[in-house]
C-alpha cells in the first residue's frame, strides 16, 4: 500500500508553497486536488503524474467527503505516493483530519504537510497585521458559513480580539448584524480581502454598518477581518 500526503498548497501565491510540499508534489504518482489551489502548482509534478479534481464550491461538490475518503484509500492501493492537495493548511477548515482518521482506520500510512494559512497570510500580504500589542493581543478564527443550526456563542465575540471569518462572504450581512447585536459599535472597522495573495486580490475597508453594501460585487474566496487592527491598513499602505 502507498502513502497519502495530506498537503497544504498555501493561500494562492505559488511562492508561498513550502519547500516540503514542493518536494512531495514533484514525487507524486497522483495528486487529488481542491478548488482553491493555484493550478500552476500542478505544473511542478512529474510527467506521468495523474491529476484528480475533487473541488468543492458553495452548493456544488464534485464528490462528497465520504467519496473522497474512499478515493484516497483506493488510490493508495494503486500508487506509492498519493498527494492530497488542499488550499491553505490541510487541517484548518480543510477536512484533513477527517481524511486522516479514515485512512488510519484502513491502516493506510499518511502524513500531514502543513501549508501557509490564509488566516494570516492574506491580510499580511496586504500590509494588514492581525495583531498589535496596543490594538489586539489575540485573534480567533471562525468559519463564516451560514448553517441551519446556529452553534456559535456570539456573546463571546464581544472582546477586542481580532476576529477572522473564513468562507463567509455570502453571510457577511448576518455576521455584521450579529456582532452589532452583542454590542460592537456600528462603526467598528472591518476589512474584506477577496482572492488574497493573487494578482486578482482586492481589499475593501468598511465598518460593521456598511461592509455588506461595499462588498456586494466581490467574489469568493474572501476573508473577513473584524477588529481595530484594520485601522493600520491605511497607515501601512
Amino acid at each position: 500500500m502507498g502513502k497519502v500526503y495530506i498537503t497544504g498548497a498555501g493561500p494562492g501565491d505559488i511562492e508561498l508553497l513550502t519547500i516540503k510540499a514542493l518536494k512531495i508534489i514533484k514525487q507524486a504518482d497522483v495528486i487529488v486536488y481542491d478548488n482553491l489551489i493555484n493550478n500552476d502548482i500542478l505544473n511542478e509534478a512529474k510527467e506521468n503524474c495523474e491529476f484528480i479534481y475533487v473541488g468543492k464550491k458553495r452548493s456544488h461538490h464534485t464528490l462528497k467527503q465520504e467519496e473522497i475518503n474512499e478515493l484516497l484509500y483506493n488510490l493508495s492501493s494503486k500508487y506509492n505516493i498519493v498527494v492530497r492537495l488542499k488550499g491553505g493548511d490541510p487541517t484548518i477548515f480543510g477536512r484533513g483530519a477527517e481524511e486522516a482518521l479514515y485512512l488510519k482506520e484502513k491502516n493506510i500510512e499518511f502524513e500531514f504537510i502543513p501549508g501557509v494559512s490564509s488566516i494570516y497570510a492574506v491580510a499580511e500580504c496586504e500590509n494588514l497585521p492581525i495583531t498589535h500589542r496596543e490594538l489586539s493581543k489575540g485573534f480567533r478564527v471562525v468559519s463564516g458559513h451560514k448553517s441551519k443550526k446556529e452553534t456559535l456563542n456570539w456573546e463571546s465575540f464581544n472582546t477586542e480580539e481580532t476576529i477572522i471569518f473564513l468562507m463567509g462572504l455570502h453571510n457577511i450581512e448576518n455576521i455584521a448584524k450579529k456582532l452589532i447585536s452583542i454590542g460592537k459599535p456600528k462603526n467598528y472597522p472591518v476589512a474584506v480581502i477577496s482572492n488574497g495573495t493573487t494578482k486578482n486580490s482586492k481589499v475593501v475597508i468598511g465598518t460593521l454598518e456598511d461592509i455588506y453594501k461595499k462588498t456586494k460585487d466581490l467574489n469568493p474566496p474572501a476573508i473577513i477581518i473584524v477588529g481595530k487592527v484594520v485601522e493600520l491598513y491605511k497607515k501601512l499602505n
Side-chain angles (χ1 to χ4, degrees), residues 69-196:
N69 295 347
E70 185 69 20
L71 174 65
L72 294 175
Y73 170 69
N74 291 334
L75 290 172
S76 67
S77 66
K78 181 180 178 182
Y79 295 107
N80 289 324
I81 298 179
V82 179
V83 170
R84 175 69 174 105
L85 195 60
K86 295 172 171 287
D89 180 272
T91 66
I92 300 177
F93 299 119
R95 302 191 182 183
E98 295 175 40
E99 293 168 0
L101 286 167
Y102 184 87
L103 294 170
K104 183 69 175 179
E105 290 174 0
K106 297 287 188 177
N107 294 315
I108 301 301
E109 188 178 5
F110 72 90
E111 179 180 336
F112 287 122
I113 298 182
V116 174
S117 176
S118 62
I119 289 170
Y120 52 86
V122 163
E124 194 169 329
C125 285
E126 297 292 347
N127 293 340
L128 201 170
I130 60 171
T131 63
H132 183 286
R133 62 178 180 169
E134 295 177 3
L135 299 174
S136 173
K137 295 186 178 181
F139 67 94
R140 62 175 70 187
V141 184
V142 189
S143 170
H145 277 309
K146 185 176 182 180
S147 60
K148 294 180 181 179
K149 185 178 180 181
E150 184 64 76
T151 57
L152 286 180
N153 178 11
W154 286 98
E155 292 294 334
S156 70
F157 287 76
N158 199 10
T159 70
E160 292 304 318
E161 293 176 316
T162 304
I163 311 170
I164 300 167
F165 293 91
L166 302 182
M167 307 167 290
L169 187 60
H170 65 286
N171 193 32
I172 192 167
E173 183 178 20
N174 179 60
I175 290 170
K177 286 180 178 179
K178 286 284 189 179
L179 292 174
I180 291 172
S181 73
I182 64 168
K184 294 274 189 193
K186 290 183 178 180
N187 65 349
Y188 204 68
V190 183
V192 178
I193 306 173
S194 170
N195 290 288

Side-chain angles (χ1 to χ4, degrees), residues 9-75:
D13 183 349
I14 194 170
E15 293 186 348
L16 294 177
L17 183 70
T18 67
I19 293 173
K20 187 169 186 178
L22 180 59
K23 284 182 177 179
I24 201 63
I25 287 167
K26 287 180 177 293
Q27 299 173 46
D29 299 308
V30 58
I31 297 176
V32 181
Y33 65 101
D34 277 349
N35 177 52
L36 293 179
I37 73 157
N38 183 334
N39 285 334
D40 289 343
I41 293 173
L42 303 180
N43 295 331
E44 300 295 329
K46 61 188 182 183
E47 188 174 346
N48 59 343
C49 181
E50 181 181 349
F51 302 106
I52 301 175
Y53 175 72
V54 294
K56 299 183 182 74
K57 295 182 180 180
R58 188 184 171 209
S59 303
H60 177 71
H61 293 182
T62 307
L63 293 178
K64 295 179 180 179
Q65 186 59 53
E66 294 78 11
E67 294 172 324
I68 295 174
N69 295 347
E70 185 69 20
L71 174 65
L72 294 175
Y73 170 69
N74 291 334
L75 290 172

